Amino acid sequence: KANLQKFKKALESDEDEKFWQGFLKENSWMLGTSSVEILAERRLDIKHEIDFPIKVEGGFMDIVEIKKPSFPFWVLMKDGNYYKYRGKHLIPSLELQGAIAQTTKYILQAEKGLDSKDYIETHDGIVPLKPRGLIIYGRSRNWTTEEWKAFRLLNDELHTVQIITFDHL
């Protein structure tokens, strides 16, 4: 119960990514049942460090990227309304598009270590075979049916990455 209160308070105070990394490390059960443990080694290589490499069932690795709960999910216009492509389609915000690009780059970098004994040894024997990405981003608590449909379509188009909001946790 104390962790739930801490979670709610952190959402209200818009804690940063570093806070969420620590919180989710202490409460890794929030990431789902296939997450076995969070790996200590966060570096994929000399240039890339991920938020959360997690060991999943079967001894494989997935990648979790955490952003802030306050980041807007959809592109907003100056008047506060959503921008809709051709007047019909919601578009992921630029920050979310960046998180998707970042996560797919991390997946590519992790896959390069598939045949590297050194890489596998430094990652506790975890094999980076087809890692999946999970992005925790924004909030969905007051979404309309239109937003939920757009969210569903967005996740359907992403083949190696899934997006959830902090409200899904």
Coordinates of all heavy atoms in Angstrom, one line a residue, residues 6 10 14-26 42 49-52 65-69 71 166:
K6 N 3.2 6.0 -2.9 CA 4.4 6.6 -3.5 C 4.3 6.8 -5.0 O 4.7 7.8 -5.5 CB 5.6 5.8 -3.1 CG 7.0 6.4 -3.6 CD 8.1 5.5 -3.1 CE 9.5 6.1 -3.5 NZ 10.6 5.2 -3.1
A10 N 4.2 10.4 -6.9 CA 5.2 10.6 -7.9 C 4.6 11.1 -9.3 O 5.1 11.9 -10.0 CB 6.1 9.4 -8.2
D14 N 5.2 14.8 -10.9 CA 5.9 14.7 -12.2 C 7.4 14.4 -12.1 O 8.2 15.1 -12.5 CB 5.7 16.0 -13.0 CG 6.1 15.8 -14.5 OD1 5.9 14.6 -15.0 OD2 6.6 16.7 -15.1
E15 N 7.7 13.3 -11.4 CA 9.1 12.9 -11.2 C 9.7 12.6 -12.5 O 9.1 12.3 -13.5 CB 9.1 11.7 -10.3 CG 8.6 11.9 -8.9 CD 9.6 12.7 -8.0 OE1 10.7 13.0 -8.5 OE2 9.2 13.2 -6.9
D16 N 11.1 12.7 -12.5 CA 11.8 12.5 -13.7 C 12.1 11.0 -14.0 O 11.8 10.2 -13.2 CB 13.1 13.3 -13.7 CG 14.1 12.9 -12.6 OD1 13.9 11.9 -11.9 OD2 15.0 13.7 -12.3
E17 N 12.8 10.8 -15.1 CA 13.1 9.4 -15.5 C 14.0 8.7 -14.5 O 13.8 7.5 -14.2 CB 13.8 9.4 -16.8 CG 13.0 9.9 -18.0 CD 13.7 10.0 -19.3 OE1 14.7 9.3 -19.5 OE2 13.3 10.9 -20.1
K18 N 14.9 9.4 -13.9 CA 15.8 8.8 -12.9 C 15.0 8.2 -11.7 O 15.2 7.1 -11.2 CB 16.9 9.8 -12.4 CG 17.9 9.1 -11.5 CD 19.1 10.1 -11.3 CE 20.1 9.4 -10.5 NZ 21.3 9.1 -11.1
F19 N 14.0 9.0 -11.2 CA 13.2 8.6 -10.1 C 12.4 7.3 -10.5 O 12.4 6.3 -9.8 CB 12.1 9.6 -9.7 CG 11.1 9.1 -8.8 CD1 11.3 9.0 -7.5 CD2 9.9 8.6 -9.4 CE1 10.3 8.4 -6.6 CE2 8.9 8.0 -8.5 CZ 9.1 7.9 -7.2
W20 N 11.9 7.3 -11.7 CA 11.1 6.2 -12.2 C 12.0 4.9 -12.4 O 11.5 3.8 -12.2 CB 10.3 6.5 -13.5 CG 9.2 7.5 -13.2 CD1 9.1 8.8 -13.5 CD2 8.0 7.2 -12.4 NE1 8.0 9.3 -13.0 CE2 7.3 8.4 -12.3 CE3 7.5 6.0 -11.8 CZ2 6.1 8.4 -11.6 CZ3 6.3 6.1 -11.1 CH2 5.6 7.3 -11.0
Q21 N 13.2 5.1 -12.8 CA 14.1 4.0 -12.9 C 14.3 3.3 -11.5 O 14.2 2.1 -11.4 CB 15.5 4.4 -13.4 CG 15.5 4.8 -14.9 CD 16.8 5.4 -15.3 OE1 17.8 5.4 -14.6 NE2 16.9 5.9 -16.6
G22 N 14.5 4.1 -10.5 CA 14.7 3.5 -9.2 C 13.4 2.9 -8.6 O 13.4 1.8 -8.1
F23 N 12.3 3.6 -8.9 CA 11.0 3.1 -8.4 C 10.6 1.8 -9.0 O 10.2 0.8 -8.4 CB 9.9 4.1 -8.6 CG 8.5 3.7 -8.1 CD1 8.2 3.9 -6.8 CD2 7.6 3.1 -8.9 CE1 7.0 3.4 -6.3 CE2 6.4 2.6 -8.5 CZ 6.1 2.8 -7.1
L24 N 10.8 1.7 -10.3 CA 10.4 0.4 -11.0 C 11.4 -0.7 -10.7 O 11.1 -1.8 -10.8 CB 10.3 0.7 -12.5 CG 9.1 1.5 -12.9 CD1 9.1 1.9 -14.4 CD2 7.8 0.8 -12.6
K25 N 12.7 -0.3 -10.4 CA 13.6 -1.3 -10.0 C 13.2 -2.0 -8.7 O 13.3 -3.2 -8.5 CB 15.0 -0.7 -9.9 CG 16.1 -1.7 -9.6 CD 17.5 -1.1 -9.7 CE 18.5 -2.2 -9.6 NZ 19.9 -1.7 -9.7
E26 N 12.7 -1.1 -7.8 CA 12.2 -1.7 -6.5 C 10.8 -2.4 -6.7 O 10.5 -3.2 -5.8 CB 12.0 -0.5 -5.5 CG 13.2 0.2 -5.1 CD 13.0 1.4 -4.3 OE1 11.8 1.7 -3.9 OE2 13.9 2.2 -4.1
R42 N 23.7 -1.8 -17.8 CA 22.8 -1.0 -18.7 C 23.4 -0.6 -20.0 O 22.7 -0.1 -20.9 CB 22.3 0.2 -17.9 CG 21.5 -0.1 -16.7 CD 21.1 1.1 -15.9 NE 20.7 2.2 -16.7 CZ 20.7 3.4 -16.2 NH1 21.2 3.7 -15.0 NH2 20.3 4.4 -17.0
E49 N 23.4 3.5 -23.5 CA 23.0 3.0 -22.2 C 21.5 3.1 -22.1 O 20.9 4.2 -22.3 CB 23.7 3.8 -21.1 CG 23.4 3.3 -19.7 CD 24.2 4.0 -18.7 OE1 25.4 4.1 -18.8 OE2 23.5 4.6 -17.7
I50 N 20.9 2.0 -21.7 CA 19.4 2.0 -21.7 C 18.9 2.1 -20.3 O 19.7 1.9 -19.3 CB 18.9 0.7 -22.3 CG1 19.4 -0.6 -21.7 CG2 19.2 0.6 -23.8 CD1 19.0 -1.9 -22.2
D51 N 17.6 2.5 -20.1 CA 17.1 2.7 -18.8 C 17.0 1.3 -18.1 O 17.4 1.3 -16.9 CB 15.6 3.2 -18.9 CG 15.6 4.7 -19.3 OD1 16.7 5.4 -19.3 OD2 14.6 5.2 -19.8
F52 N 16.4 0.3 -18.7 CA 16.2 -0.9 -18.0 C 16.4 -2.1 -19.0 O 15.5 -2.4 -19.8 CB 14.7 -1.0 -17.6 CG 14.5 -0.7 -16.2 CD1 15.2 0.3 -15.6 CD2 13.5 -1.3 -15.5 CE1 14.9 0.7 -14.3 CE2 13.1 -0.9 -14.2 CZ 13.8 0.1 -13.6
E65 N 12.3 1.5 -21.9 CA 12.6 2.9 -21.9 C 11.6 3.7 -21.2 O 10.4 3.5 -21.4 CB 12.7 3.4 -23.4 CG 13.3 4.8 -23.6 CD 14.7 5.0 -23.1 OE1 15.5 4.0 -23.0 OE2 14.9 6.1 -22.6
I66 N 12.0 4.5 -20.3 CA 11.0 5.3 -19.4 C 11.1 6.8 -19.7 O 12.2 7.3 -19.8 CB 11.4 5.1 -17.9 CG1 11.4 3.6 -17.6 CG2 10.4 5.8 -17.0 CD1 12.1 3.3 -16.3
K67 N 10.0 7.4 -19.9 CA 9.9 8.8 -20.1 C 9.0 9.4 -19.0 O 8.6 8.7 -18.1 CB 9.3 9.2 -21.5 CG 10.2 8.6 -22.6 CD 11.6 9.2 -22.6 CE 12.4 8.7 -23.7 NZ 13.8 9.0 -23.5
K68 N 8.7 10.7 -19.0 CA 8.0 11.3 -17.9 C 6.5 11.1 -18.1 O 6.0 11.2 -19.3 CB 8.3 12.8 -17.9 CG 9.7 13.1 -17.3 CD 10.0 14.5 -17.3 CE 9.3 15.2 -16.1 NZ 9.7 16.5 -15.8
P69 N 5.7 11.1 -17.0 CA 4.3 10.9 -17.1 C 3.6 12.2 -17.7 O 2.6 12.1 -18.3 CB 3.8 10.8 -15.7 CG 5.0 10.5 -14.9 CD 6.2 10.9 -15.7
F71 N 4.7 14.1 -20.2 CA 4.9 14.3 -21.6 C 3.6 14.1 -22.4 O 2.9 13.1 -22.2 CB 6.0 13.4 -22.2 CG 7.4 13.8 -21.8 CD1 8.4 12.8 -22.0 CD2 7.7 15.0 -21.3 CE1 9.7 13.2 -21.7 CE2 9.0 15.3 -21.0 CZ 10.0 14.4 -21.2
F166 N 1.8 5.4 -17.9 CA 2.0 5.2 -16.5 C 0.7 4.7 -15.9 O 0.8 4.0 -14.9 CB 2.5 6.5 -15.8 CG 4.0 6.7 -16.0 CD1 4.4 7.4 -17.2 CD2 4.9 6.3 -15.1 CE1 5.8 7.6 -17.4 CE2 6.2 6.5 -15.3 CZ 6.7 7.1 -16.4

